[in-house]
Amino acid sequence: MAEKVTRDEGLRSKFIPMIVNEAKKRGVVTGNATSGWTIRKTVASGIKMIYVVRMLEARVEMWIHLGSSAVEFDESAGIFDHFYSKKDQIENAYGGELTWDHPGRRTAFSIQQDYHDFDLRETDKWNMWVEKMVNDMKKLDAA
């Protein structure tokens, strides 16, 4: 069974701004730090680039969601299918494999880099994670 860890708002409130500040400094896509556990930036209609931070995992992703109606879902699926048809090209440009469509989503699609070894409690690794996540977001956005 996966370890259950209580969310720590104090850690989140210190780590999230580090990502935003580094991304802005380097001209990498980012939104603003908020009280949430994600940083979102809309880059096109229905497409957001998102940094997701949890206690024991993190990811950077391109999130595709035009809405929850059947028509909007079909349009979102069409956009995802377009990108998926270029999977090899995108992963080559990115420089590695990506996760295509996060499991469990019902009305949205994603292309993402997952960090299953992330642990927000390991504050001594924050600089490394900020660097990695910002670098990977830059590569994902460019791919």
Side-chain angles (χ1 to χ4, degrees):
M1 182 176 201
E3 181 182 1
K4 181 76 173 165
V5 176
T6 302
R7 285 184 170 190
D8 186 323
E9 291 294 329
L11 292 177
R12 182 214 52 82
S13 69
K14 293 175 183 154
F15 183 71
I16 293 281
M18 289 175 66
I19 296 171
V20 171
N21 292 337
E22 182 65 17
K24 285 183 177 181
K25 182 173 83 175
R26 293 179 41 201
V28 177
V29 65
T30 185
N32 294 316
T34 67
S35 61
W37 287 74
T38 62
I39 306 162
R40 301 167 181 255
K41 177 70 174 180
T42 300
V43 294
S45 178
I47 299 177
K48 294 180 180 172
M49 302 303 283
I50 306 176
Y51 299 84
V52 179
V53 175
R54 301 288 183 253
M55 290 300 296
L56 296 178
E57 65 179 353
R59 68 182 177 268
V60 294
E61 68 183 354
M62 181 175 80
W63 192 69
I64 304 163
H65 177 76
L66 292 169
S68 300
S69 74
V71 170
E72 292 164 326
F73 174 80
D74 288 344
E75 291 172 354
S76 297
I79 294 169
F80 177 79
D81 290 344
H82 167 77
F83 285 111
Y84 193 78
S85 74
K86 301 176 183 310
K87 178 182 178 193
D88 290 341
Q89 292 170 272
I90 291 169
E91 288 184 338
N92 284 336
Y94 178 77
E97 290 185 17
L98 295 162
T99 301
W100 292 77
D101 205 20
H102 186 275
R105 291 205 175 121
R106 294 188 180 131
T107 61
F109 299 86
S110 65
I111 304 165
Q112 63 195 51
Q113 174 65 63
D114 298 299
Y115 311 111
H116 298 294
D117 54 341
F118 177 86
D119 188 333
L120 188 59
R121 300 169 298 181
E122 296 176 342
T123 57
D124 59 317
K125 295 182 180 178
W126 281 8
N127 288 333
M128 180 273 299
W129 282 114
V130 167
E131 181 75 14
K132 181 162 189 50
M133 292 176 76
V134 171
N135 281 342
D136 287 351
M137 179 60 83
K138 181 178 182 175
K139 292 188 314 183
L140 183 61
D141 188 39

